[in-house]
Amino acid sequence: MHQVQADYRMPRAEQPVDFTERGAAGRLARGIEEHGFAVATLAGAAEPSAALTVLSTALRLGDPYVPALYRYAETRDYAASYTDIRSNPNDRHPGFSTTAGQAWHVDGLLDEIGRIKTTILYCVRAAHRGGDTLLFNSVAAFAELRAQDPAAARTLLSPTVLNRRSTIPAIEVSATGPAFSVDETGNLITRYTDNETCTWNPDAGPPGTLARALAFLRAACDDPRYRLALRLAPGQALVFRNDRLAHGRQPYEDRPGARRHLVRALFANAPAASG
Ligand SMILES: [Fe+2]
């Protein structure tokens, strides 16, 4: 089965894979192909960077990818291979450093559709309250839209339908492209995002089609077939297809001296089974 047929009501998708077991990498890669994501439980209290390196090597992800947005002088502070995500009043990044919720998005707002295939979020410390990571199987929802309302779906394939712009105060840059596309192997890929970075172009398709498409997706992202909330425990890593689903997070509360802490790594490659 492929992610387009996945049903997130089936609890199997959420079952963590014990990374110390034989064949764990293969099970993770197959789970990611089937559901768009998998959770790995890593051993002991390894350094986050060591844990991420072991996991990404086992999944044959290659070197971490630095998004196009972070290759400017003004944003170079965010260009590390592994990015700390935790509240920090001294940092002005709108996503990494606040305890606010995050609406649906894909990582890499300037990168072309399909470029960043994999995101890993490694949990060092969970939030005191809230802070679940949210997943939306947007390619599966798109496939349903395409069956029900082909004209609306076609508008989301237009290369002028979705502009995303940086909301980092230091820099004004943006990129335009389709919200969904079909890659060279015939699989759906996406940069569907629905947050403050987006400007939608209603002229990208026949009148009314964009509004119908967005209404469909905004309903689908609350449909339990397509939406999942995951609470990561310390030492767990969520690996997901950034080119096949959208993600977000619930707002959270920290306890003093014990901030929620995730470490993120991005990869241009998709996970490959190695055993
Ligand atoms: Fe993200």
Side-chain angles (χ1 to χ4, degrees), residues 187-204:
N187 285 312
L188 285 169
I189 51 175
T190 186
R191 61 194 275 277
Y192 174 72
T193 296
D194 194 15
N195 66 8
E196 67 289 348
T197 69
C198 294
T199 304
W200 292 95
N201 173 17
D203 298 327

Side-chain angles (χ1 to χ4, degrees), residues 102 105 107 247 264:
Q102 270 194 310
H105 68 281
D107 291 332
H247 65 283
R264 184 185 83 165

Side-chain angles (χ1 to χ4, degrees), residues 63-205:
D63 291 331
Y65 179 90
V66 175
L69 176 58
Y70 302 137
R71 294 184 210 143
Y72 295 88
E74 295 90 334
T75 56
R76 210 166 281 158
D77 288 354
Y78 304 113
S81 297
Y82 301 137
T83 303
D84 290 306
I85 299 174
R86 58 186 162 186
S87 62
N88 179 359
N90 299 317
D91 181 53
R92 295 195 298 166
H93 193 288
F96 297 157
S97 55
T98 83
T99 62
Q102 270 194 310
W104 299 117
H105 68 281
V106 303
D107 291 332
L109 63 81
L110 293 186
D111 300 278
E112 70 177 314
I113 190 166
R115 171 72 71 191
I116 303 176
K117 293 186 173 62
T118 306
T119 297
I120 302 180
L121 293 173
Y122 177 77
C123 179
V124 180
R125 185 184 295 116
H128 175 54
R129 189 176 291 132
D132 287 7
T133 299
L134 306 173
L135 300 175
F136 171 38
N137 189 353
S138 57
V139 296
F142 178 82
E144 188 183 346
L145 174 66
R146 194 169 52 181
Q148 288 184 14
D149 188 344
R154 227 169 3 252
T155 296
L156 295 177
L157 300 170
S158 162
T160 64
V161 75
L162 175 57
N163 177 269
R164 292 191 66 195
R165 69 190 176 284
S166 168
T167 54
I168 296 176
I171 190 159
E172 280 185 41
V173 283
S174 72
T176 300
F180 293 87
S181 189
V182 179
D183 72 11
E184 60 282 355
T185 60
N187 285 312
L188 285 169
I189 51 175
T190 186
R191 61 194 275 277
Y192 174 72
T193 296
D194 194 15
N195 66 8
E196 67 289 348
T197 69
C198 294
T199 304
W200 292 95
N201 173 17
D203 298 327

Side-chain angles (χ1 to χ4, degrees), residues 1-12:
M1 197 184 72
H2 183 266
Q3 190 191 324
V4 168
Q5 283 96 42
D7 183 339
Y8 284 178
R9 292 172 301 186
M10 301 295 167
R12 195 159 49 91

